[in-house]
Amino acid sequence: MNGMGEETGFEVVIVVPKGKRKEGGDMAEKGDSVEFLVRELEKAGLIVERFRGVPAEFLKIAAPLIVLGQAAAELELKKLTYIGMELQFEWDMVTAFVRQPDGSLFSWYERYSCFRHLLYGIVNKTDSNIALKFNDKDIKYEKNESLLKRLEIEGVVKQVFPLHDEVKRKQLLRKWALNWLDFTWQPVDEIYSYFGSKIASYFSFLGMYTRWLFFPAAFGLATQLFDFGRMQFLVLPSFFVFIISWAVFFFQFWKRKNSALLARKYFTFFLRSPDFVTNDSFMSGLAYMERITDNEVLFRHVYAKAEKGIGCFSVLWGINYSLNECKAMPSEANEFNYTDPIKKKFYSSRPAEKTSIQADEWWGIFRKVRNNVIVVLGIICLQLPFELTYAHLYNITQIEVLRYLLTAAYLIAIQYYTRIGGKVAVALIKYENNQGEDSSAASLVYKVFGLYFMQSYIGLFYHAVVYRNLGTLRKVLIQRLIVSQVLENLIENSIPYVSYNYKKYLALHKKKNDNSSPMGKNVRLSTRVEKEFLKPSYSASIGADLEDGLFDDYLELALQFGMIMMFACAFPLVFCFATLNNITEIRADALKLLAMLRRPVPRASATIGAWSNIFQFLIVMAICTNSLLLICLYDQEGKWRIEPGLAAILLIEHILLFVKFGLSHFVPEEPAWVRVNRLRNVSQARDLYSKQLLRSITKLEHKDD
């Protein structure tokens, strides 16, 4: 225990090669780099356990809570206090800050950020370079250089990754991954505590999406099982109207749920602290707020930032900027002269600097448009002919088995093409003026989805529009759903297992053939750290530096959503296939994260981000494509005449477009209780902060007199 009710466990591991060196202090005196790293880690207050495994040597790292707290203060992390305001963390005022749902002080994202700060914050503070060695290789550790980065460059440190917590992992396995009886139920709080907000948001979205799929699945099943007699001609138009309305309301209610998830910590606070006056933690928060605003130097810093409307305290006024966006701002905008904050002019009011910022903004827009044009031209000139060739070969092939084989070969071949396109997209993003990693990740999502949109749907459009053969279109939909979903799930879950066992075989085989090994032929992996080292990481197939494995999971959901929505009228039963697939997907993804992969590196995002715009785009496309499908069903002769039936379909299309862009405003994106609590927090923060600012201004004026 760390003194505050939290256990101190090993959460991060550093992997180094098994060098040809002796154990003990003799080599440390000669400059052994690993021994030197261990000593520096211990000087930083970290707990280090070193041991040699079969594939490599491992340094397990743990940190007492006080060390993490000091690192959080150095990182200037913003945390929620018991007065409803987010303030910069300080260790000596720890009781003023709200704890996590599981009772811990820091979230998993905050803890891992502190670990990275501690590990990579070890620098050479001496006045000279330090000579280190590893396996007779000389290493020059320069002044003011990060030790861990230098060792990574030299190949001494192979990897740094987070460890699974075995107790919590097994609890989630039993309660979530292996619990098939609850279908779509998700323990969101436990997922958030263990994996972070981004993965918790994904599973919350997947669970809600799957539950809502039961409604169109039931309607689609009814259209196939029942004969509606004279009203049969109204079934598909009614189904069309229903699924578009369903999709619009689903995303509006998802926005409400996402707002509730983001505000859950505030709601928990109000439940725990109904009486503000007698709440000790609330009073600690007030004391902390009063202390930081009574400090003259800090006040000048806060006042300058408040005057300019930017900076760390902007969250108090209901404006949230991500840390990446703040870091991406011009460095001059973050430099303040505190000698006279009241008379200092705004940074943006300087004409020359304002012109420069505007020029950078428009030049960044131009580069982004240029890159998007390059991607679109690549899709039209390279991918479109390939897709049309596959669609034509599929149409002229009469043997059903050959069609399945052709589809499988096409899906495998297109993966390589898409990976090449993804690498090009990542290279183009480097030349864009994106504000932070979130903006770059969004740009990657749009570009890569364009590639997948073409490969996934152009063949279906070909059968629907050119041949107008809805029977063939239904067969293609079934084959795509069965082959692609089964193939993707098989690859997604089998590759980590095969990769792990292959690496395990190589490590054990190498150890058995090592004549110097004292274990001889009796070699096995005895620790969970060794096993986790051999497991694959949770990374994106495209743009791993910008996205994690959720990129592929969201992409799979978006492609499925587009397929079932855009061709719903051709095959209403497709929603049943999607529902069954998603029920399986929830448990498969949970099992993959908990058993087959390393613990993912946490990310701060708590929304589905750019994928929300992708889903909204697919709803608009669904209105257009289903209208076209209904026209093909109605106008069987292909004369395209404006008759009552055709006119009714066009009218339905315009009405649904109005529903998409108009009806969504009838469902508020934010629940009333979230809005009330948010406004209450902003009002309390404004009143309290204004009084402290006025008090501090009065003190400054008296000092000047």
Side-chain angles (χ1 to χ4, degrees):
M1 304 293 285
N2 52 34
M4 293 191 67
E6 294 186 28
E7 295 184 359
T8 302
F10 294 103
E11 299 181 88
V12 179
V13 65
I14 300 175
V15 185
V16 298
K18 292 190 296 184
K20 298 178 181 179
R21 57 185 184 277
K22 298 179 181 179
E23 299 288 345
D26 294 339
M27 291 301 294
E29 295 176 359
K30 298 179 181 179
D32 179 66
S33 57
V34 178
E35 291 284 353
F36 184 80
L37 174 62
V38 172
R39 290 201 306 270
E40 291 298 313
L41 291 172
E42 291 176 344
K43 287 180 182 179
L46 298 171
I47 302 171
V48 183
E49 181 179 309
R50 180 180 178 183
F51 72 95
R52 288 198 176 196
V54 173
E57 187 171 355
F58 304 94
L59 306 178
K60 295 195 297 182
I61 310 297
L65 184 60
I66 185 173
V67 176
L68 293 178
Q70 293 169 351
E74 294 175 2
L75 285 171
E76 299 182 354
L77 289 180
K78 305 298 181 298
K79 288 183 65 63
L80 181 69
T81 63
Y82 282 98
I83 58 174
M85 300 168 59
E86 290 189 353
L87 299 176
Q88 182 175 316
F89 181 81
E90 288 190 17
W91 174 251
D92 57 348
M93 299 297 294
V94 65
T95 56
F97 295 93
V98 177
R99 289 182 169 265
Q100 301 299 311
D102 61 353
S104 59
L105 178 62
F106 297 108
S107 67
W108 170 230
Y109 172 77
E110 292 169 340
R111 294 180 69 88
Y112 190 73
S113 299
C114 292
F115 268 106
R116 288 190 61 86
H117 174 72
L118 291 167
L119 295 177
Y120 288 91
I122 299 175
V123 298
N124 183 5
K125 297 181 180 179
T126 63
D127 296 331
S128 60
N129 299 332
I130 299 177
L132 300 175
K133 288 186 178 181
F134 182 77
N135 286 353
D136 299 327
K137 178 181 179 181
D138 293 329
I139 299 174
K140 185 179 179 182
Y141 180 31
E142 299 180 352
K143 294 186 297 183
N144 299 321
E145 184 182 25
S146 172
L147 175 60
L148 201 60
K149 285 185 178 180
R150 169 49 54 188
L151 295 182
E152 285 179 337
I153 294 173
E154 299 293 341
V156 178
V157 173
K158 298 169 64 175
Q159 293 181 21
V160 179
F161 62 89
L163 285 172
H164 275 291
D165 185 319
E166 282 300 292
V167 175
K168 294 181 179 179
R169 187 184 72 88
K170 291 179 179 178
Q171 287 177 352
L172 282 174
L173 272 173
R174 181 177 62 257
K175 185 178 180 180
W176 175 37
L178 301 178
N179 183 14
W180 288 85
L181 298 178
D182 290 326
F183 291 107
T184 62
W185 178 79
Q186 307 281 347
V188 178
D189 286 335
E190 288 85 348
I191 298 172
Y192 164 76
S193 298
Y194 192 72
F195 289 115
S197 58
K198 189 174 183 180
I199 292 180
S201 296
Y202 164 74
F203 280 102
S204 179
F205 176 80
L206 177 58
M208 182 175 176
Y209 172 48
T210 305
R211 286 192 297 272
W212 278 62
L213 273 176
F214 280 100
F215 299 104
F219 197 160
L221 184 63
T223 61
Q224 303 296 312
L225 296 180
F226 300 104
D227 183 7
F228 294 89
R230 295 181 178 180
M231 306 299 293
Q232 187 69 35
F233 72 98
L234 293 176
V235 171
L236 288 181
S238 301
F239 185 69
F240 177 30
V241 173
F242 172 78
I243 61 166
I244 298 300
S245 302
W246 166 85
V248 171
F249 278 107
F250 163 68
F251 278 99
Q252 284 303 114
F253 279 95
W254 160 249
K255 292 176 182 177
R256 288 174 60 86
K257 182 173 183 178
N258 195 56
S259 298
L261 290 174
L262 294 175
R264 180 172 295 191
K265 57 184 179 180
Y266 293 94
F267 186 59
T268 303
F269 159 66
F270 284 120
L271 287 179
R272 291 173 58 186
S273 306
D275 187 358
F276 290 162
V277 178
T278 60
N279 189 293
D280 294 337
S281 299
F282 179 75
M283 299 307 295
S284 298
L286 285 177
Y288 176 45
M289 187 66 197
E290 184 176 3
R291 192 190 71 179
I292 65 172
T293 51
D294 281 342
N295 185 291
E296 179 180 344
V297 176
L298 184 57
F299 161 71
R300 290 180 179 273
H301 175 70
V302 173
Y303 188 90
K305 289 193 173 186
E307 183 185 29
K308 292 171 181 283
I310 59 176
C312 61
F313 281 87
S314 58
V315 70
L316 302 181
W317 304 98
I319 303 173
N320 289 281
Y321 295 109
S322 69
L323 182 60
N324 292 327
E325 291 173 335
C326 291
K327 289 181 178 179
M329 297 174 69
S331 59
E332 295 84 2
N334 293 322
E335 295 177 359
F336 300 98
N337 180 13
Y338 302 125
T339 58
D340 193 0
I342 299 178
K343 296 181 180 180
K344 185 174 175 63
K345 296 181 180 180
F346 288 0
Y347 167 78
S348 59
S349 66
R350 300 174 185 176
E353 292 171 330
K354 181 178 179 180
T355 302
S356 176
I357 292 175
Q358 289 178 338
D360 291 340
E361 177 187 9
W362 285 107
W363 177 241
I365 294 174
F366 168 76
R367 286 185 291 184
K368 185 172 292 188
V369 172
R370 178 201 61 189
N371 293 343
N372 292 337
V373 170
I374 293 175
V375 173
V376 171
L377 290 177
I379 292 173
I380 295 175
C381 299
L382 299 177
Q383 190 174 6
L384 182 59
F386 177 78
E387 299 290 343
L388 293 178
T389 301
Y390 160 72
H392 179 70
L393 290 175
Y394 183 91
N395 189 70
I396 63 176
T397 302
Q398 301 298 324
I399 302 176
E400 201 67 26
V401 176
L402 292 179
R403 286 185 170 183
Y404 275 95
L405 293 176
L406 180 64
T407 302
Y410 159 79
L411 291 173
I412 295 174
I414 202 63
Q415 294 296 324
Y416 292 96
Y417 175 86
T418 308
R419 291 181 185 275
I420 295 174
K423 292 180 179 180
V424 173
V426 172
L428 292 175
I429 289 173
K430 296 179 180 179
Y431 298 96
E432 295 180 356
N433 188 24
N434 293 308
Q435 300 297 319
E437 292 184 0
D438 291 340
S439 179
S440 299
S443 181
L444 176 67
V445 167
Y446 296 136
K447 290 178 175 60
V448 174
F449 182 78
L451 299 173
Y452 276 92
F453 181 85
M454 182 64 69
Q455 78 171 52
S456 300
Y457 306 128
I458 190 62
L460 301 175
F461 288 137
Y462 183 81
H463 291 291
V465 179
V466 177
Y467 288 99
R468 308 182 72 179
N469 189 339
L470 297 184
T472 303
L473 178 60
R474 293 187 184 98
K475 293 181 180 179
V476 174
L477 281 171
I478 295 174
Q479 291 175 2
R480 284 290 183 92
L481 282 172
I482 294 177
V483 175
S484 64
Q485 296 288 343
V486 172
L487 185 63
E488 287 177 2
N489 286 330
L490 182 63
I491 293 175
E492 181 181 355
N493 293 285
S494 63
I495 286 183
Y497 178 79
V498 173
S499 175
Y500 167 74
N501 282 278
Y502 178 69
K503 291 180 180 179
K504 179 180 176 181
Y505 167 78
L506 291 180
L508 295 177
H509 182 72
K510 182 178 179 180
K511 189 70 174 180
K512 289 178 181 179
N513 294 333
D514 186 3
N515 296 326
S516 61
S517 174
M519 301 179 65
K521 300 298 181 180
N522 186 22
V523 181
R524 61 187 180 88
L525 301 180
S526 57
T527 64
R528 65 181 181 88
V529 178
E530 296 176 271
K531 297 176 181 179
E532 288 192 35
F533 169 65
L534 298 177
K535 291 179 180 180
S537 60
Y538 187 54
S539 58
S541 59
I542 299 174
D545 295 336
L546 299 175
E547 281 282 1
D548 56 12
L550 287 180
F551 176 86
D552 299 284
D553 292 328
Y554 274 123
L555 179 61
E556 183 180 349
L557 280 183
L559 294 176
Q560 181 204 81
F561 182 80
M563 189 171 297
I564 65 177
M565 287 295 296
M566 289 195 293
F567 304 96
C569 289
F571 190 44
L573 200 60
V574 73
F575 285 90
C576 295
F577 289 97
T579 304
L580 294 175
N581 176 79
N582 286 2
I583 293 174
T584 306
E585 186 76 16
I586 292 174
R587 307 304 165 187
D589 286 348
L591 190 63
K592 175 182 66 177
L593 287 172
L594 292 169
M596 298 182 182
L597 301 174
R598 294 177 185 170
R599 189 176 186 178
V601 174
R603 294 178 181 260
S605 177
T607 65
I608 64 175
W611 294 106
S612 177
N613 296 329
I614 297 294
F615 282 107
Q616 298 293 340
F617 164 76
L618 291 174
I619 294 175
V620 177
M621 288 296 299
I623 296 174
C624 301
T625 56
N626 282 285
S627 298
L628 181 61
L629 289 173
L630 289 177
I631 291 174
C632 292
L633 287 171
Y634 170 75
D635 189 32
Q636 297 180 357
E637 298 178 0
K639 296 181 180 179
W640 303 93
R641 294 177 298 181
I642 303 298
E643 295 183 358
L646 182 57
I649 294 172
L650 295 176
L651 180 61
I652 291 175
E653 178 190 21
H654 286 73
I655 292 175
L656 289 177
L657 287 173
F658 171 77
V659 169
K660 168 65 183 72
F661 295 103
L663 195 59
S664 59
H665 295 286
F666 288 96
V667 180
E669 296 183 2
E670 190 178 43
W673 67 267
V674 173
R675 184 170 60 256
V676 169
N677 287 343
R678 177 175 55 82
L679 294 176
R680 181 187 301 166
N681 292 334
V682 172
S683 177
Q684 290 175 349
R686 182 179 62 246
D687 294 342
L688 177 63
Y689 205 61
S690 298
K691 292 178 182 179
Q692 295 295 338
L693 285 174
L694 291 174
R695 186 185 309 169
S696 301
I697 291 174
T698 304
K699 291 181 180 180
L700 288 175
E701 290 179 350
H702 287 312
K703 287 185 179 181
D704 293 337
D705 294 340

